[in-house]
Amino acid sequence: MGNYDDDTAFLGQKGPFFITLFFLLNAIYISTGFHGLYIVFVGASPLHHCQVMDGNLSKEWLTASIPKEMEDGKTQPSRCWRYNLDTVKNLSARGYSPQDVNLTDIMQEKCVDGWTYSTDIYHSTIVSEWNLVCDSEWKVPFASSTLYMGYLLGSFVSGQLSDRFGRKKVLFTSLAAEALVILAQSFSPSWLLFCILYFFVGAFQISLYITAFVLGTEVLSKSFRVLFTTLGAFLHYCIGYMVLPWIAFAVRDWRYLLRILSVLTVVYIPLWWLIPESPRWLLAQGRVMESEAIVRQAAKKNKVTAPDVIFKESEVKETTLQIGKYSILDILRTSNIRKTTFMCLLLWMAINIGYFGLSLNTSNLSGDPFLNCFLSAVTEVPAYIVATFLLRNCPRRPLLSAFLSIGGGFLLLIQLIPESLHALSLALEMVCKFGFTMSFAVVYIYTVELYPTVLRNLGIGICSSAARIGSITAPYVIFLGTFNRYLPYILMGSLTIVSSISNMFLPETFGKLLPETLEQMQTCKSFLKRDDHILEEGKTTVNMKEEKNKSSQQEINT
């Protein structure tokens, strides 16, 4: 077959077909925005204290039976302990008031009768329904992690499925399956089943995200393709992210919230008849007539005339590089590749821990959690716009280090802000989110430009796995805030600063041709200087593979 872009050049770069498809595919990303972070509200922990099951106690004794504890510099009722109820009832029956006794002398006990939860903000969450507090508090970050564990599985499986069954089928199957699993999750009778279903929500959601991304890059024209992969998907994800807190604000019960989010997916049903299959994929499957039919329909919508034969048989020039197949071992084969990979893994992990950590932490911030979540989402919109503009004009290395320094540096400053200035703390956290979001946009392009063509897919795949590990870890980093409010900020800030410094030792890629082979790959800078033995290792590896492939080709020719 001839080149697809050349064969379909008559469609032009714009037109109703491309414009409509651009917005339809981006509309799907809105669902990923409000499906991806609903755990912020579903798993929120309302204010709570031990339940005192005794109607004979006076209101004064009921209040006094809960010990006071210092938390973040404030005196608050204990969430996990109460004074021994038998002792309290005995003192009350003998006519003593709480002021007559030294309460600290009374033995404390755990909340054996359960907890009482505030309904001022949330009517019901999985925390209040299944008592995921105190000794069971670890179950909340674990539930959050199951989504990202599902991401890990979906990332591996979705590509293979879409290559076999088609982009469109996998896209809409993932969309429908995600909605059904969320609906089933709203009926979960236990925390364990909730986590299992949440795992599959993650698997289907990342499959949806990746497949829509691939479909868009294969069907859209070159000009729309660039816009779709830079701003389109990210901004529409932000729209869904911004819609989520308003839905959660109107529906304070976690079960009804999930049901509404699931039912909203029905608006995408008509898209099955509006979004076509990828003509490129159909051509790869040998289904030329079906591919031509889609392109002719696109020509009709764009009001251009299609040639009599769109995909004609032509001479295929053998221009494939004689490099052979590379394996994951080649990522670690040379010293230069190992150093580059290690620093990329650190970057991806730090950025994902910071980004998802701050996203999940919005319900723990001072002030209204719904407004905090909305502001966190709004912050991402200018971040993606600014990052896209800067990527077109600025070097990658100082750009990424600057964004990471903004995110990590302000995280370390938050602990210095007095508790009374919670508005300033919130503003600093939004600045941090801004920095991490811009880093998120830059690191994808920077990594693609660092690795040579022969190892690019493997490199991105390994970095993506590190990103998933980072997102799985993020809920546990936030969980440390139950012991010390500022500990998550210190850990995330320190890790980000370290990654920002290590990034400066990577080579600059702005304005340079993409490397094709290991030999063309740039070496790390500063103390990781370009060593002759590193270059020789790369040359030897390439030469060995080239000789092997030449021998194989000679045998085939013979």
Side-chain angles (χ1 to χ4, degrees):
M1 292 294 172
N3 181 272
Y4 177 86
D5 289 324
D6 293 338
D7 290 340
T8 58
F10 64 90
L11 292 174
Q13 290 297 307
K14 298 181 181 179
F17 174 77
F18 294 125
I19 294 174
T20 302
L21 187 60
F22 175 81
F23 284 107
L24 291 179
L25 287 173
N26 280 319
I28 292 178
Y29 281 112
I30 295 177
S31 71
T32 64
F34 54 68
H35 286 170
L37 289 168
Y38 60 72
I39 192 66
V40 170
F41 304 106
V42 170
S45 181
L47 292 176
H48 56 275
H49 58 78
C50 292
Q51 187 172 15
V52 181
M53 301 288 291
D54 194 297
N56 296 323
L57 289 177
S58 65
K59 185 177 181 180
E60 188 179 23
W61 268 113
L62 287 173
T63 302
S65 62
I66 307 298
K68 304 296 182 181
E69 294 180 349
M70 290 294 294
E71 184 175 334
D72 298 327
K74 294 181 179 179
T75 302
Q76 296 181 350
S78 174
R79 299 183 180 186
C80 301
W81 296 91
R82 71 180 186 186
Y83 290 119
N84 181 269
L85 189 57
D86 291 334
T87 305
V88 169
K89 288 192 293 184
N90 184 36
L91 291 171
S92 176
R94 292 165 60 185
Y96 288 101
S97 68
Q99 292 77 21
D100 298 332
V101 297
N102 187 0
L103 294 174
T104 57
D105 292 336
I106 302 176
M107 184 176 64
Q108 296 184 14
E109 62 184 8
K110 292 186 177 181
C111 303
V112 294
D113 295 322
W115 289 262
T116 298
Y117 296 92
S118 170
T119 56
D120 293 340
I121 300 177
Y122 307 101
H123 296 163
S124 174
T125 68
I126 62 172
V127 174
S128 61
E129 182 162 337
W130 295 319
N131 291 326
L132 306 183
V133 294
C134 300
D135 293 340
S136 298
E137 198 169 9
W138 62 271
K139 293 182 178 180
V140 179
F142 183 86
S144 300
S145 294
T146 54
L147 177 76
Y148 306 116
M149 295 176 191
Y151 279 6
L152 193 59
L153 174 65
S155 299
F156 287 120
V157 175
S158 62
Q160 300 176 47
L161 292 177
S162 64
D163 285 342
R164 181 175 180 180
F165 299 105
R167 318 310 192 202
K168 182 177 177 179
K169 288 181 180 178
V170 173
L171 172 65
F172 284 94
T173 299
S174 299
L175 185 62
E178 182 188 21
L180 291 175
V181 174
I182 292 175
L183 182 62
Q185 194 180 26
S186 71
F187 293 96
S188 299
S190 66
W191 166 82
L192 179 59
L193 183 58
F194 178 93
C195 292
I196 293 173
L197 292 174
Y198 205 29
F199 173 86
F200 288 103
V201 170
F204 289 124
Q205 185 177 114
I206 197 66
S207 175
L208 169 68
Y209 192 98
I210 293 174
T211 307
F213 194 86
V214 171
L215 181 59
T217 56
E218 291 182 345
V219 182
L220 293 172
S221 62
K222 186 176 181 180
S223 60
F224 272 99
R225 193 182 308 153
V226 173
L227 186 61
F228 176 73
T229 55
T230 53
L231 283 181
F234 289 131
L235 288 183
H236 284 79
Y237 167 85
C238 288
I239 292 174
Y241 188 5
M242 287 186 286
V243 170
L244 172 64
W246 296 109
I247 300 175
F249 176 79
V251 185
R252 308 295 182 98
D253 184 283
W254 75 271
R255 292 187 184 272
Y256 286 108
L257 174 60
L258 293 188
R259 289 164 193 169
I260 289 175
L261 294 178
S262 175
V263 170
L264 286 175
T265 308
V266 300
V267 301
Y268 293 111
I269 292 178
L271 270 59
W272 171 264
W273 292 276
L274 299 175
I275 295 178
E277 180 56 271
S278 167
R280 292 177 189 262
W281 179 80
L282 291 171
L283 283 176
Q285 301 298 308
R287 297 157 64 176
V288 181
M289 298 300 293
E290 294 177 59
S291 181
E292 279 204 5
I294 293 173
V295 176
R296 291 187 186 281
Q297 187 66 23
K300 184 178 179 181
K301 291 181 178 179
N302 284 353
K303 297 181 180 181
V304 296
T305 303
D308 294 335
V309 179
I310 299 176
F311 302 114
K312 56 184 179 296
E313 293 292 341
S314 59
E315 280 188 76
V316 180
K317 296 182 179 181
E318 297 290 343
T319 57
T320 305
L321 292 173
Q322 299 295 321
I323 300 175
K325 294 183 178 179
Y326 283 73
S327 69
I328 195 171
L329 294 178
D330 292 288
I331 292 290
L332 305 173
R333 190 175 299 277
T334 69
S335 174
N336 185 50
I337 290 269
R338 285 195 298 271
K339 294 169 183 175
T340 299
T341 300
F342 172 76
M343 285 186 281
C344 285
L345 293 178
L346 179 61
L347 284 171
W348 282 65
M349 189 175 297
I351 291 172
N352 274 264
I353 290 176
Y355 176 84
F356 286 103
L358 292 178
S359 297
L360 295 172
N361 192 48
T362 52
S363 61
N364 299 326
L365 298 176
S366 300
D368 189 290
F370 305 103
L371 179 60
N372 292 341
C373 183
F374 176 75
L375 293 176
S376 179
V378 169
T379 303
E380 295 193 16
V381 176
Y384 286 127
I385 295 175
V386 171
T388 301
F389 173 78
L390 293 176
L391 280 169
R392 295 175 180 270
N393 303 280
C394 300
R396 291 14 176 164
R397 186 174 59 183
L399 197 63
L400 182 56
S401 287
F403 293 160
L404 289 171
S405 297
I406 290 173
F410 281 97
L411 278 177
L412 295 176
L413 286 177
I414 289 177
Q415 59 182 316
L416 304 178
I417 306 300
E419 179 66 26
S420 58
L421 301 177
H422 63 83
L424 179 58
S425 297
L426 177 62
L428 288 180
E429 184 145 345
M430 294 303 106
V431 173
C432 296
K433 184 68 179 297
F434 185 84
F436 279 111
T437 302
M438 291 194 292
S439 302
F440 213 95
V442 175
V443 76
Y444 272 90
I445 294 178
Y446 191 25
T447 307
V448 165
E449 295 172 344
L450 281 172
Y451 282 100
T453 300
V454 295
L455 290 176
R456 190 165 293 127
N457 283 340
L458 286 171
I460 294 295
I462 290 178
C463 290
S464 180
S465 298
R468 300 286 78 82
I469 295 173
S471 56
I472 290 171
T473 306
Y476 294 100
V477 175
I478 298 303
F479 175 65
L480 294 175
T482 58
F483 304 101
N484 185 296
R485 179 186 175 187
Y486 298 111
L487 188 56
Y489 297 117
I490 295 173
L491 290 178
M492 291 189 294
S494 301
L495 179 61
T496 306
I497 293 298
V498 170
S499 66
S500 173
I501 295 172
S502 67
N503 173 66
M504 294 304 296
F505 298 117
L506 288 170
E508 181 55 64
T509 61
F510 179 66
K512 298 183 180 179
L513 295 176
L514 291 177
E516 299 290 343
T517 66
L518 292 175
E519 189 175 18
Q520 296 173 358
M521 183 178 178
Q522 296 186 77
T523 55
C524 300
K525 303 297 180 180
S526 192
F527 68 90
L528 303 176
K529 293 181 180 179
R530 187 185 185 93
D531 297 326
D532 291 337
H533 75 277
I534 294 177
L535 184 60
E536 289 301 322
E537 288 180 17
K539 288 181 178 180
T540 302
T541 303
V542 173
N543 291 337
M544 290 176 62
K545 290 183 177 288
E546 288 180 346
E547 290 297 328
K548 182 178 179 181
N549 282 280
K550 287 179 180 178
S551 300
S552 300
Q553 187 63 42
Q554 289 175 358
E555 291 178 5
I556 293 173
N557 294 336
T558 303

